Amino acid sequence: MASGAARWAFVPPGTGWPGDPADAYTPVAGDAAAVAALAGTAPDLTELTARQSVCRACPRLVAWREQVALERRRAYAEETYWGRPIAGWGEDRPRVLLVGLAPAAHGGNRTGRVFTGDRSGDWLFASLHRVGLAALPTSTHAGDGQRLLGARMVAAVRCAPPVNKPENSERDACKPWLDRELALVLPHLRAVVCLGSFGWAAALTSLAACGVAVPRPRPKFGHNVALELTAARGPLLLLGSFHPSQQNTFTGRLTEPMLDEVLRRAADA
């Protein structure tokens, strides 16, 4: 994790941030049409995640993520914020895919890695570690030694949105990134875990785009709701979990055993 007094709006690609998938030559999507084109032509996850990490298709999200990176929270005032979209992260041939909503303004937008450096991530990685899907019980910053084991995680919207609420147009513009990432990992997947109703809806939509038969009407989201789907390679288990947000964990709506149960089902699929 970089630190210092530099006031960057974002970390320039290829300047040494741990795990940065992009470089100065990575093509940048400037609008929704370019997202669709660049996602659809990405030959592999390496290039796809590079292109995801420099996207500038949604003006409101670009302005917000960079404003946050410049202003910073007092606790992180001496750190350099990532300030860019958060690419998918984890194994290239995962058995389990986790789908969340979007990175946190002072979490992934600061650290450059999804669910890293915030309270939601603390809960999630502790549980992933307990069920054998993460090497460490914590995920604090890029380059901290954390590894996902047989798993991969993505955000349906790759930039931190104001008040954690992306607009429908932003969700739709970002969708091709998820569609392509899911298509590339689908041959290896046994389970998809959706963290919250937004992730559930995004996963069902992208699974359908990848040719997976999704029931109609779409099944409703709920905690520990399970849906047996059939992909080209065989059975695929779709699981819902309440999002490990502070709103859910502080109130007891989501407990550690509840989250462990869902993730253990995914790990055992």
Side-chain angles (χ1 to χ4, degrees), residues 79-244:
E79 295 186 19
T80 296
Y81 275 47
W82 171 253
R84 286 165 45 195
I86 307 302
W89 179 74
E91 292 201 357
D92 287 355
R93 298 165 64 93
R95 302 188 318 276
V96 177
L97 180 70
L98 294 98
V99 182
L101 193 167
H106 302 280
N109 190 56
R110 172 175 62 90
T111 64
R113 195 166 71 197
V114 64
F115 279 112
T116 295
D118 58 39
R119 296 266 180 107
S120 295
D122 292 344
W123 265 73
L124 180 59
F125 276 96
S127 183
L128 288 168
H129 181 67
R130 287 193 294 269
V131 304
L133 293 175
L136 300 173
T138 60
S139 183
T140 58
H141 59 276
D144 62 1
Q146 179 62 276
R147 292 180 298 113
L148 292 177
L149 307 175
R152 187 175 186 86
M153 57 175 58
V154 299
V157 173
R158 305 301 167 116
C159 296
V163 298
N164 291 322
K165 292 183 178 179
E167 296 177 348
N168 288 346
S169 60
E170 294 160 349
R171 173 202 64 195
D172 295 344
C174 213
K175 179 180 174 291
W177 296 131
L178 179 58
D179 289 353
R180 182 58 177 155
E181 191 157 359
L182 184 54
L184 289 169
V185 301
L186 190 58
H188 316 291
L189 287 182
R190 300 295 183 271
V192 177
V193 177
C194 307
L195 301 169
S197 59
F198 194 100
W200 177 266
L204 284 171
T205 300
S206 286
L207 284 166
C210 292
V212 177
V214 173
R216 288 193 175 277
R218 296 277 176 90
K220 291 184 178 181
F221 168 78
H223 184 79
N224 212 11
V225 168
L227 183 62
E228 296 281 351
L229 301 174
T230 301
R233 52 140 295 276
L236 180 66
L237 180 64
L238 186 74
L239 291 162
S241 172
F242 292 145
H243 193 284

Side-chain angles (χ1 to χ4, degrees), residues 42-53:
D44 52 36
L45 284 170
T46 298
E47 181 61 22
L48 179 68
T49 54
R51 295 177 183 186
Q52 290 170 355
S53 76

